Amino acid sequence: MLANRADVWNLGEVLSGREDVFALSFVENALTANPVLAPLAGRSRADLALLVRMASGSGAHADQLEHAYAPAELERIVAVLRHLLTARETVLAVNAAYIASAARTDATRTEPPFRLQGSYRNMNKIAERIVPVMNEAELSAVIDDHYAGEAQTLTSGAEANLLKLAALRGTLTGRQAERWAEVTAAYVRTQALGGPDGDPVTRAVAALGLLADRISAVETAIHRAADPRRLLGGPGPVHD
C-alpha cells in the first residue's frame, strides 16, 4: 500500500489504529535494498521486530533472537536499522505532508502545493545508500541529496518543496526561513489575484479589491494610532 497517493479511499480509516504496522512496512520493504539488511528478508519476522526495537533503544536483548547472529553482523544490522529509522521519520513526514496537500483545494491553500513523496520507493532509494559507519551528518546529507534529486523532476515549485521539506525536518536556516516566508506570501498574493493562469480582467479586478483592502487596513491603523482614547486607555477629552 502506497499511502502517499492522493487517491487512497478514506485514508483515515485505512491507517487508523495501524500506524505502527504502516511504519514498520517501510522498513520491511526496504530490507532488500540494503546489502546489510537483505538477509533479514528471509528470516523470522519476529527477529525483524526485535531488531527494530534494539535499534530504537527500547531495551530488547539479542538473546531473544531466533537466528544465531555473529556479533559483528548484529552490530552492523542494528547500526543500519538505526539510521533507517531516522530516515523513516522524514519519509513518513513527507508522506503525511503530501496527503494533506493533495486533500486541499487551491482556494484554501496558504502555501504552494507539496509534491515530494514519501513512498516505499523513496525509502528504498535512501536505504540503499545507508552504511553502518555513517554519522548523523552523513545520513542527513543522503536524505538531502535524495530529495534534491526528486525535486528536480517536478515541473514547478522545486524550491518551495525543498524549503517545505526543510521545515518538516526542522532544519531550516535563518535565511531559508526568510525565503520560505517570502515564497508563501508570494503564493498567497498570487492566489488572491486569481492564480498565475487567471483571466486578465479577473486578475485586475482582484488586484483592485486587494489594494482597497490594504488601504482600508492602513486607514484603520492610522485612526487607531491617532485616537487618544486608545493611547491613554480611557475616554478622550471632553469638549464644551
Side-chain angles (χ1 to χ4, degrees), residues 66-172:
E66 295 179 13
H67 183 81
Y69 295 86
E73 179 190 18
L74 184 60
E75 183 178 355
R76 290 195 301 271
I77 289 173
V78 172
V80 171
L81 281 175
R82 187 177 297 115
H83 294 320
L84 194 63
L85 294 180
T86 299
R88 185 182 66 178
E89 293 177 9
T90 293
V91 174
L92 289 177
V94 170
N95 182 288
Y98 179 92
I99 293 170
S101 180
R104 301 195 70 164
T105 63
D106 288 339
T108 63
R109 294 188 189 280
T110 57
E111 59 187 40
F114 186 67
R115 296 192 174 95
L116 294 178
Q117 298 190 11
S119 67
Y120 292 147
R121 185 188 68 82
N122 295 108
M123 186 71 169
N124 291 359
K125 288 290 186 181
I126 294 171
E128 67 186 20
R129 297 179 58 187
I130 293 178
V131 295
V133 295
M134 66 176 21
N135 56 37
E136 292 182 8
E138 291 168 335
L139 175 61
S140 183
V142 165
I143 298 171
D144 286 338
D145 289 347
H146 169 76
Y147 277 110
E150 291 289 302
Q152 291 177 5
T153 67
L154 300 177
T155 56
S156 64
E159 180 193 21
N161 276 254
L162 289 176
L163 288 171
K164 175 66 174 181
L165 174 65
L168 290 172
R169 298 179 65 198
T171 60
L172 275 177

